[in-house]
Amino acid sequence: MSTLVLTAHGSKDPRSAANAQAVAAQVTRLRPDLDVRLAFLEHSSPSLADVLTSTDGPAVVTPLLLANAYHARVDIPAQIASCVTTQHVWQAPVLGEDDRLVSVLRRRVTELGVSRLDDRVGVLVVAIGTSDLAVNARTGRVAPKLLAGTSWAGATTAFATQQQRSLTEALGRLRRQRVGRVVIAPWFLAPGLIPDRVERFAAKTGIEMAAPLGADRLLAETVLDRFAEATADQIAA
């Protein structure tokens, strides 16, 4: 059986690495028969290259990433290619806008005390963002999905690292809908430097911010599905 190499971006903020470790532990609890190893692309250790070169047998690099942006499309393939074991290494898809992850985000919003039946609520979904507009468009699907099963007045998307659809602009769009209560739903896996920036924006504008997705069981299940998808593709090939 292939090793699952759970590969996170990495951060200078230790909370990010701690969350990745918790996700890896959750994956192991769900699949104790599976060899699960954690790697990072930058800032944290061990690096992906170090993990791959120390792994015997085939491995599936399974990104702990939400969007199919630079790190998934360029950084991970380059690091795989730099290893001598590339003939036994495959890459799984990113987590994406999986309905299970959206349900976790919806739960994070309700944990603020927001009723799913409150039709005064407007939700500002905040993601990191990328220079790739097609990737941002895919991330934009999270906001309408989030409204499923609720009576919330609306949801819109902003990108914390891009001028396009900025936080201020997105907040203005919601307030023009005359919502009675705005909450921020962070489309982030973990606390970190960028989520902290969003939290400061929330405090400055007087709106509440939910917790990030975290090491939820549903996130671990999504990781395992991506691993299984890549494994099945290799068997079929």
Side-chain angles (χ1 to χ4, degrees):
M1 180 180 294
S2 300
T3 296
L4 190 162
V5 183
L6 184 66
T7 305
H9 178 276
S11 171
K12 295 178 181 179
D13 190 319
R15 295 173 296 172
S16 179
N19 184 76
Q21 291 162 357
V23 174
Q26 181 72 274
V27 171
T28 299
R29 282 192 290 272
L30 293 177
R31 283 288 305 276
D33 61 312
L34 188 60
D35 182 11
V36 178
R37 305 191 187 187
L38 179 63
F40 297 92
L41 296 174
E42 56 186 45
H43 299 305
S44 306
S45 60
S47 70
L48 175 57
D50 286 344
V51 171
L52 289 178
T53 53
S54 65
T55 300
D56 296 325
V60 176
V61 176
T62 309
L64 188 59
L65 301 170
L66 292 171
N68 189 35
Y70 174 84
H71 293 292
R73 297 202 311 265
V74 178
D75 201 1
I76 289 178
Q79 294 200 32
I80 291 175
S82 71
C83 300
V84 296
T85 56
T86 53
Q87 66 271 28
H88 302 299
V89 178
W90 303 279
Q91 181 176 341
V94 297
L95 300 173
E97 306 79 38
D98 192 281
D99 288 345
R100 287 166 293 191
L101 303 186
V102 176
S103 73
V104 174
L105 187 64
R106 190 182 301 114
R107 183 169 8 110
R108 294 288 178 261
V109 172
T110 62
E111 287 168 355
L112 293 173
V114 176
S115 169
R116 295 189 182 205
L117 302 178
D118 190 342
D119 60 6
R120 303 172 302 116
V121 171
V123 184
L124 177 53
V125 177
V126 181
I128 292 178
T130 172
S131 59
D132 189 323
L133 299 184
V135 173
N136 287 345
R138 287 189 62 88
T139 301
R141 299 175 186 178
V142 173
K145 281 187 173 188
L146 190 65
L147 297 177
T150 77
S151 300
W152 295 339
T156 192
T157 306
F159 299 105
T161 60
Q162 299 293 318
Q163 290 185 351
Q164 177 209 29
R165 301 177 76 176
S166 68
L167 295 173
T168 301
E169 179 190 351
L171 178 59
R173 287 198 302 272
L174 279 177
R175 285 180 167 163
R176 285 193 294 273
Q177 295 179 32
R178 301 187 183 279
V179 298
R181 180 182 185 183
V182 176
V183 296
I184 290 179
W187 188 241
F188 299 120
L189 292 169
L193 301 179
I194 296 177
D196 281 353
R197 188 192 312 165
V198 178
E199 192 168 8
R200 289 193 293 272
F201 172 84
K204 181 179 179 180
T205 53
I207 56 182
E208 297 169 279
M209 177 171 166
L213 298 176
D216 194 272
R217 178 189 177 93
L218 291 178
L219 190 146
E221 289 180 2
T222 307
V223 167
L224 286 169
D225 276 0
R226 300 296 180 267
F227 169 79
E229 181 180 341
T231 302
D233 286 346
Q234 291 308 313
I235 292 174

